[in-house]
Each structure stands twice: as C-alpha cells, then as structure tokens.
Amino acid sequence: MLGTLAVALPWFVAHQLHYFTDYSLASYGEYFWPRRAGLILRLTGGARAILVGLVQIRLGLTDRVNTLHRMLGKVYGAGILIGGLGGFYLAPADSEPREASRETIKGRPQVAETSAH
C-alpha cells in the first residue's frame, strides 16, 4: 500500500497539482478551462478516496480501531460522491468522438452493418 502511494504521490504532484495552485487559463488549457469546476471536484474527491481508502484497507485488515475505520469510511464515501459528481459533470463535455474511437472498437476496424431484404 505504501508502495502504491510512493508511486502515485509524486506523479500527482508533477502532473495534477497545478490545477490547485494555478487557477488560470494557462494552467487548465482550452479544454478544461470551461469545465474547471468539474475537474476540481473529480481530482479532490478521487484523491481523498484513494488516500483514505489505503488507510481503510490497512485498518480493515488488522481489525484495529473500529471507530476510526467507520469514520474514515464516511470520509471515503464522501470522496467517492464528490469525485463521481465531478465525473458526471465532465462526461457530457467529451461528447465528440475522437478520430481513433470512431474508426476502431477494441483495436478492430469498424464495419458498417448492412441488412439484407
């Protein structure tokens, strides 16, 4: 668990932390700037759920500190809810199909269906 955190935390700091420290068009880019509220919710909720989830697993496996385990379960659930709401907000924003996804499904060329009458 700590190994996962040791890998994920530096990546998060290097690639995602700027969304929290630099609230500008230059940081977010043209794509995320109009959707920044959803992105912040998604990142905040997801990071909370991952960090608290690792502690939850540890406490659950050792069967220690049941009160803390239950309280952190509520924090974890709130993180999932917050991240889910952010993802729900962001999902319709990516409605235009990308070039690769239009042409292939799971690496296979797309074949138009025909019906014989």
Side-chain angles (χ1 to χ4, degrees):
M1 288 185 292
L2 290 177
T4 303
L5 187 59
V7 171
L9 191 58
W11 177 87
F12 183 83
V13 169
H15 295 95
Q16 307 298 322
L17 192 62
H18 68 93
Y19 291 123
F20 295 103
T21 60
D22 183 10
Y23 199 69
S24 68
L25 176 61
S27 176
Y28 282 80
E30 293 290 328
Y31 182 78
F32 282 121
W33 183 248
R35 302 163 183 88
R36 62 192 176 272
L39 182 63
I40 290 291
L41 287 174
R42 184 77 172 155
L43 292 173
T44 303
R48 175 185 294 180
I50 289 170
L51 292 174
V52 172
L54 291 171
V55 174
Q56 281 289 86
I57 291 171
R58 177 73 175 150
L59 291 175
L61 290 176
T62 59
D63 197 30
R64 294 184 305 181
V65 197
N66 286 331
T67 305
L68 178 61
H69 183 75
R70 278 191 288 276
M71 192 232 4
L72 287 176
K74 293 173 185 174
V75 173
Y76 176 81
I80 296 295
L81 179 65
I82 291 167
L85 289 173
F88 186 72
Y89 175 77
L90 288 172
D94 195 17
S95 61
E96 291 186 25
R98 294 186 178 99
E99 195 63 34
S101 64
R102 260 190 283 157
E103 296 173 3
T104 61
I105 295 177
K106 295 183 182 177
R108 291 183 238 145
Q110 187 78 349
V111 178
E113 293 184 29
T114 59
S115 60
H117 293 288

